[in-house]
Every structure is written in C-alpha cells, then in structure tokens.
C-alpha cells in the first residue's frame, strides 16, 4: 500500500513535509519526535490511517483507537502544562506581593500595592477595585480608596502605558503612589463618599460578606435579593466580587473588584485566587494602621513631653523671677524711707537758702540726685509688681483717653501736641489694666533726648487679625534703631541717651502678659511704638 504521509521514512528532505517549518529542521532527522510532534496531527497521516482501517487489516481499529487516545492525552497534557504555567506565574506573583506587603509599614504603600495587584495585567487583571476601611470609632465601613478607569478611553490609555513600561509589581505600585494616588482619590470621590455602611446593619451585603469572612461573587446585582438597588446603581455594574479583609478575627475592611470596562466574566478560579491574596493584605493593612496610630501616639507623647518641659522651665523661671521680685522689693523699701528723709530735708533746706548762698548749688545737687534715685526705686518696685499681672477685659479707647489725661500736664510742659484717633466698635481686650496704663503713660511721656521734626504725638487704635493694635508715633524724637534696642534692656541708662524712663520695664510687663511691644525708628517719622493686645483669653501665652 502506498502511503501519502512521510512518517514511515527515517529521513525526510526539506519541503517534503508541510508541517515542518523554519526552526523545526532537527525533526527531519528524528522519526520518533517527528511522528509524536507532527505526524499524528498531519492530514495525510489521518488519511493513511483511514485507508489502513478500511483495508480490513485486524490492526486497523487498534491503531485508530491508539491514535485517538494519544491525541486526547496530548490535549490533556497541554492543558496541564498551561495550568501549571499559570500557577507558576501566580505563585511568583504572590511571592512578590507577599515580600512587599511583609516589608512595609506605610499604610499608603500597602494600599497602593494591594490595589495595583488586583488591577494590574500581570496580577489578577481586574478592571477596577474599591477599598473600604473599617472605622471602629464610628462603627462604620467607609469608602477609602479606589483604582481603575472610568471609561474605555481612559482604560485604553492606561493599558497602553503599562504595555510600554515593563515594570514589576513594586515599581508599578510606587509609580501609582507617586503619580496617581491623589488623582484616583479625587476621581472616585463621588462614589467613595457615598459608601458608608454601619457595621450594625447585618442585612447589608457588605456587612454580610465581612461577617462571613469569605469572598462573594455577586451576579445580576440589580435584581439580587441581598443587594440594595441603590448600591448596585452606585457601582454601575451588574457583576462584582466582594473580598472581606479579616485579620485575626478583626474586621479590617473590604475590597470590591469588577470588570466594568471589559465585562469579562469573573470565574470561580478568579475568586479563589483573590481569596489567597486577601489575608496577607488584611494583615499588612492592620499592621500599617497600628504602626500609623503608634506613630501618632508617639508624636502626641513627644509633643506633651515638650510642653511639659516648657512648663517646667517656665515654673523655674517664674520662681527665679519671684525671688528677684522679693529681693528687689525688699531692697527698694529699705532704701526708700531714708531716701525720702534725705530728699525732704534737702528740699526744705533749698527753700530756706537764698539764691546767692554758695551752699545752694550743693543742696540743688542733693535734691536732683535724690529725685533720680526715687525714680530708680519706682522703676524697681514697678518691675517687681509686673511679675504678677491681674488680667480682665477692658475698653482700650477709654484706657488710652485716661492715659492722655494723666499725661496732659507733662506733654504741655514739654511743648507737645497730641492727637488720638479711636478705632470704632473695638471689642474689649484681655489685659492687666494697671500695667498697660502705666506702659501707655510711660511711652507717651518718655524723653529720650533725641531730636525730631515736630513736637507731635499721634495715637490710634484699630483691630487687625484678631488683635487690638495701639500705635503711638512720636514725631518729636529720633534715635537710631540700635540705641532703641539697647534702651529696651531693664535699668538701662547712658550719659548720651538719658534715662529710658521705664521703656524696658514696659516691655517686660507686657511680655509677661503675652503682649508684644515693638519700637521702630526712622529719621523721617521719628519713633513708632506698636502694642498688640489680645481679645481672647486663649491668646495669652
């Protein structure tokens, strides 16, 4: 019998077999491999086998049976090989995923890896994924994050981008977190903010799946008896997969996955594959959340420690200031009585000494020095009193007007004019009235022996940025900014500048109340004093 097929030859010339193409040339010299890999599926071989069976030879049916069984086994083996290849890829993917999840304690990194794994083509290949987190304080399951396209055009762009960038899972997740995480949150904000289910609502499909601790494949969602129609319309798909995230019996959250673009059927194998993925994700999310809360507590404890340290330093400083206050007050009171007697006798002697008496110059010197010492003692006593301010709410415009009335004689004697522009509808300020009044009088009456353009003081009050501002501009005096800064030191006095007359004391008093006192100088406008008064108790330091 003449055979059409070349399977019975030991060697075949190139071109004799139509099934042997480029790259298979080694099969030309190997009959066994050629028969197993090519000839059994060759149409000529099948016709030869049919002719052999039709010839009536008793082995004809046997060969036909063997050939059919061989082809069936070959298909089965190819199917197993394909299955094993897929499982190998899945195992490598899960190993890569597990390595990333186990090494990370950053919640956003964990979530980026998890959602990227669900939607990446080299991962589970779903079109879209929503992550819901359990808020144990509010006892709610709340929408937190989502990833995926909203339409086919966006999906096509994303798939093209992934296809042109050969990146592993971790690189994909890092790229997503860096470039798209915020955008995805915004994109799905309208859906995420509407997914909020009380954990006590055991009839809701999400809570059912979470309590059941097993994935649920929801099909025909629009007519499913357990699915709220509003929830199905919110997702916009008829089929989706629910994957509860449970770690050590703690309900961590829920992942909702679907194929809203391709509408590819979600198989039982997809569900089982994702089920093996949910436990490490739940554990990683819980660990990252705990770490995040631990970090917050650590920051809170650190902040509390810093505040405690500041308070301790403040207490020590206050104790030192109290000691200084007691010492200065004791010294001042001890000196004041003898000084008043000396000054009184000197003034009395001065009255009874005629102008031509050679002793008058000495007596006038004693009176002047005694008056200067009395001023220093007043400054010391006021400094001692400033350590203990007593604050309440006061009308600032009224306070300024009172200070101007008390200073009127002094300003008139020095040839000064004064204008006051009162701010309208000012709220009361929380201050020590006595100390702020003293500071205003001291600033208005201060004489720094400087030279200005005109004998004029402008005062105005206003409300700015939640504080009451008092500005005092003295056009009649000017000193350099360096000299002004030096004057703000307590008890400062120089031969060139004259006495500061309590400006440093004013600064100390006001700072004890948390009130800034600034002094700016310039030759064109003189000196501007600015005082910022609080209107609420909590603004005090």
């Amino acid at each position: 019998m003449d055979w059409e097929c070349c399977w019975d030859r030991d060697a075949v010339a190139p071109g004799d077999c139509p099934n042997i193409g480029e790259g298979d040339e080694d099969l030309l010299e190997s009959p066994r491999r050629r028969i197993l890999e090519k000839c059994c599926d060759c149409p000529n071989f099948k016709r030869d086998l049919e002719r052999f069976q039709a010839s009536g030879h008793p082995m004809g049916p046997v060969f036909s049976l063997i050939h059919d069984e061989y082809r069936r086994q070959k298909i089965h083996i190819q199917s197993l090989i394909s299955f094993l290849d897929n499982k190998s890829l899945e195992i490598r993917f899960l190993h890569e995923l597990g390595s990333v999840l186990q090494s990370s304690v950053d919640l956003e990194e964990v979530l980026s890896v998890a959602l990227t794994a669900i939607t990446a083509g080299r991962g589970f290949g779903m079109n879209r994924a929503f992550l819901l987190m359990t808020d144990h304080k509010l006892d709610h399951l709340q929408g937190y994050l989502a990833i995926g396209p909203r339409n086919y055009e966006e999906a096509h762009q994303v798939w093209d981008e992934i296809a042109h960038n050969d990146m592993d899972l971790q690189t994909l997740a890092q790229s997503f977190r860096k470039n798209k995480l915020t955008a995805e949150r915004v994109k799905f904000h309208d859906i995420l903010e509407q997914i909020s289910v009380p954990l006590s609502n055991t009839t809701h499909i999400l809570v059912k799946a979470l309590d059941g601790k097993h994935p649920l494949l929801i099909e025909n969602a629009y007519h499913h008896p357990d699915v709220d129609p509003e929830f199905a319309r919110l997702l916009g798909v008829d089929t989706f997969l629910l994957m509860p995230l449970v770690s050590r019996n703690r309900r961590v959250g829920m992942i909702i996955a679907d194929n809203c673009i391709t509408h590819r059927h979600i198989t039982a194998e997809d569900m089982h594959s994702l089920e093996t993925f949910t436990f490490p994700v739940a554990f990683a999310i819980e660990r990252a959340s705990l770490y995040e809360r631990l970090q917050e507590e650590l920051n809170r404890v650190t902040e509390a420690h810093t505040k405690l340290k500041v308070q301790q330093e403040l207490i020590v400083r206050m104790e030192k200031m109290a000691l200084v206050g007691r010492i200065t007050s004791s010294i001042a009171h001890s000196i004041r009585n003898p000084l008043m007697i000396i000054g009184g006798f000197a003034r009395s002697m001065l009255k009874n000494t005629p102008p031509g008496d050679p002793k008058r110059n000495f007596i006038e010197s004693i009176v002047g020095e005694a008056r200067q010492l009395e001023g220093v003692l007043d400054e010391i006593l006021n400094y001692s009193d400033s350590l203990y301010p007593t604050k309440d709410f006061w009308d600032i415009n009224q306070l300024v007007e009172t200070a101007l009335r008390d200073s009127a004689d002094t300003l008139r004697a020095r040839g000064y004019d004064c204008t006051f522009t009162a701010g309208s509808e000012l709220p009361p300020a929380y201050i020590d009235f006595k100390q702020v009044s003293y500071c205003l009088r001291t600033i208005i009456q201060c004489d720094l022996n400087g030279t200005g353009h005109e004998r004029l003081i402008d005062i105005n009050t206003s409300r700015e940025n939640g504080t009451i501002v008092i500005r005092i501009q003295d056009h009649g005096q000017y000193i350099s900014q360096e000299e002004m800064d030096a004057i703000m030191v307590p008890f400062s006095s120089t031969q060139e500048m004259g006495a500061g007359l309590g400006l440093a004391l004013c600064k100390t008093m006001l700072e004890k109340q948390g009130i800034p006192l600034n002094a700016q100088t310039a030759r064109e406008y003189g000196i501007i004093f600015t005082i910022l008064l609080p209107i609420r108790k909590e603004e005090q330091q």
Side-chain angles (χ1 to χ4, degrees):
M1 182 180 294
D2 295 328
W3 306 111
E4 295 182 10
C5 186
C6 58
W7 59 271
D8 61 332
R9 284 179 273 172
D10 290 339
V12 178
D16 288 350
C17 180
N19 297 319
I20 297 178
E22 185 177 354
D24 295 331
E25 290 82 359
D26 56 328
L27 296 179
L28 298 173
E29 303 296 331
S30 177
R32 184 173 183 277
R33 284 185 58 205
R34 187 170 70 248
I35 291 171
L36 292 175
E37 295 181 24
K38 299 293 182 179
C39 293
C40 287
D41 294 323
C42 178
N44 292 335
F45 177 81
K46 292 179 183 179
R47 283 194 291 271
D48 287 345
L49 188 60
E50 290 173 358
R51 289 170 57 193
F52 179 67
Q53 188 177 3
S55 68
H57 196 283
M59 294 300 294
V62 175
F63 282 143
S64 180
L65 181 63
I66 292 173
H67 179 256
D68 291 341
E69 181 63 19
Y70 166 76
R71 293 193 64 200
R72 190 183 68 81
Q73 291 293 339
K74 183 179 179 181
I75 293 172
H76 181 63
I77 290 172
Q78 289 175 342
S79 176
L80 288 176
I81 291 173
S82 177
F83 175 78
L84 290 175
D85 288 341
N86 290 334
K87 286 299 178 183
S88 296
L89 291 174
E90 183 178 323
I91 290 171
R92 283 200 297 270
F93 168 74
L94 289 174
H95 179 266
E96 180 185 2
L97 178 63
S99 299
V100 176
L101 294 177
Q102 288 176 9
S103 61
S104 177
V105 290
D106 186 293
L107 181 59
E108 288 200 342
E109 182 180 10
V110 169
L111 300 182
S112 299
V113 169
L115 295 185
T116 302
I118 293 173
T119 56
R122 66 185 60 208
F124 297 104
M126 306 295 287
N127 292 168
R128 187 175 64 169
F130 294 90
L131 173 70
L132 284 58
M133 296 283 284
T134 301
D135 189 330
H136 292 286
K137 291 182 180 178
L138 300 177
D139 200 35
H140 267 62
L141 190 63
Q142 184 70 46
Y144 187 83
L145 185 62
I147 180 174
R150 297 286 301 246
N151 51 57
Y152 182 79
E153 289 75 14
E154 183 184 350
H156 187 70
Q157 180 181 353
V158 171
W159 294 335
D160 280 349
E161 182 181 339
I162 293 176
H164 287 87
N165 294 293
D166 187 19
M167 295 184 287
D168 57 19
L169 174 63
Q170 187 169 9
T171 307
L172 277 173
Q174 290 173 350
S175 175
F176 167 76
R177 181 185 178 188
K178 180 180 179 181
N179 303 317
K180 297 183 179 180
L181 180 61
T182 303
E184 293 293 304
R185 272 204 176 101
V186 173
K187 182 171 67 177
F188 288 103
H189 177 72
D190 58 329
I191 299 178
L192 292 172
E193 69 175 359
Q194 296 183 62
I195 303 178
S196 180
V197 183
L199 295 175
S200 57
N201 185 4
T202 55
T203 60
H204 198 283
I205 189 63
L206 295 178
V207 181
K208 279 186 176 181
L210 194 57
D211 290 339
K213 303 178 183 178
H214 293 292
L216 286 180
L217 178 59
I218 305 299
E219 298 179 301
N220 194 20
Y222 293 112
H223 303 93
H224 197 287
D226 294 329
V227 178
D228 185 351
E230 288 296 326
F231 179 67
R233 279 193 288 272
L234 181 64
L235 295 180
V237 289
D238 196 42
T239 302
F240 53 87
L241 183 60
L242 300 179
M243 294 173 290
L245 301 175
V246 180
S247 175
R248 295 175 294 183
N249 294 322
R250 281 177 55 85
R251 297 181 293 185
V252 176
M254 173 78 65
I255 290 177
I256 306 173
D258 61 53
N259 289 322
C260 61
I261 303 298
T262 62
H263 301 289
R264 180 180 66 84
H265 179 64
I266 302 175
T267 64
E269 186 178 348
D270 293 331
M271 187 169 65
H272 293 320
S273 297
L274 284 166
E275 185 176 12
T276 60
F277 156 80
T278 54
F279 173 74
V281 169
F283 181 75
I285 290 176
E286 184 184 32
R287 182 185 59 208
S289 299
L290 290 173
Y291 181 82
E292 192 174 73
R293 289 199 293 271
L294 178 63
Q295 195 66 37
E296 290 174 358
E297 290 298 324
L298 179 61
N299 293 338
R300 192 175 293 114
V301 170
T302 303
E303 183 179 355
H305 174 72
T306 303
K307 289 183 178 179
L308 179 60
K309 188 176 179 181
V310 170
Q311 292 297 325
Q312 289 175 337
E313 292 174 353
L314 179 60
I315 290 172
V316 171
R317 191 162 60 249
M318 289 178 66
E319 289 176 348
K320 290 180 178 179
M321 288 191 299
L323 179 59
V324 171
R326 288 195 295 271
I327 293 174
T328 55
S329 180
S330 176
I331 294 174
H333 282 293
S334 298
I335 296 174
R336 167 169 276 188
N337 291 334
L339 183 61
M340 289 179 64
I341 294 172
I342 294 171
F345 276 120
R347 282 188 287 271
S348 178
M349 291 173 63
L350 185 62
K351 286 182 181 179
N352 298 321
T353 304
D357 194 319
K359 296 179 182 178
R360 185 175 179 87
N361 290 336
F362 297 106
I363 296 173
E364 286 177 347
S365 178
I366 293 172
V367 170
E369 293 299 329
R371 185 176 293 113
Q372 183 174 350
L373 285 174
E374 287 173 355
V376 172
L377 285 177
D378 287 339
E379 191 169 330
I380 291 173
L381 290 173
N382 284 327
Y383 178 78
S384 176
D385 292 339
S386 74
L387 301 175
Y388 310 101
T390 302
K391 297 183 284 294
D392 204 345
F393 289 98
W394 296 93
D395 186 319
I396 294 303
N397 288 333
Q398 182 181 355
L399 184 147
V400 174
E401 290 170 355
T402 302
L404 286 174
R405 282 197 302 269
D406 294 342
S407 306
D409 292 339
T410 302
L411 294 176
R412 195 178 303 112
R414 290 167 50 198
Y416 262 85
D417 291 328
C418 187
T419 63
F420 172 46
T421 305
S424 60
E425 299 181 357
L426 296 182
Y430 188 66
I431 57 173
D432 184 307
F433 183 88
K434 179 181 176 181
Q435 292 186 7
V436 175
S437 296
Y438 168 82
C439 294
L440 283 175
R441 289 194 303 272
T442 301
I443 293 172
I444 292 171
Q445 298 177 22
C446 75
D447 184 4
L448 301 178
N449 295 339
T451 302
H453 296 291
E454 53 183 325
R455 296 282 180 171
L456 176 64
I457 294 178
D458 288 329
I459 304 175
N460 65 78
T461 57
S462 61
R463 181 173 180 176
E464 297 178 10
N465 299 324
T467 61
I468 296 177
V469 181
I470 303 177
R471 286 189 177 86
I472 304 171
Q473 183 172 0
D474 189 340
H475 297 271
Q477 301 188 84
Y478 168 72
I479 60 175
S480 68
Q481 190 65 51
E482 291 77 11
E483 292 172 327
M484 176 57 72
D485 293 339
I487 269 184
M488 290 298 184
V489 178
F491 314 124
S492 65
S493 178
T494 66
Q495 198 69 13
E496 292 77 13
M497 293 184 291
L501 295 181
L503 288 180
L505 175 60
C506 293
K507 187 175 180 66
T508 302
M509 281 184 175
L510 295 175
E511 285 180 348
K512 292 295 182 288
Q513 299 183 55
I515 299 173
L517 170 61
N518 297 316
Q520 299 294 324
T521 70
R523 192 172 297 278
E524 59 271 18
Y525 57 71
I527 304 173
I528 297 179
F529 298 92
T530 305
I531 304 173
L532 304 179
L533 304 176
I535 60 176
R536 290 189 294 271
K537 291 183 179 181
E538 58 267 23
E539 293 178 4
Q540 297 291 318
Q541 295 179 349

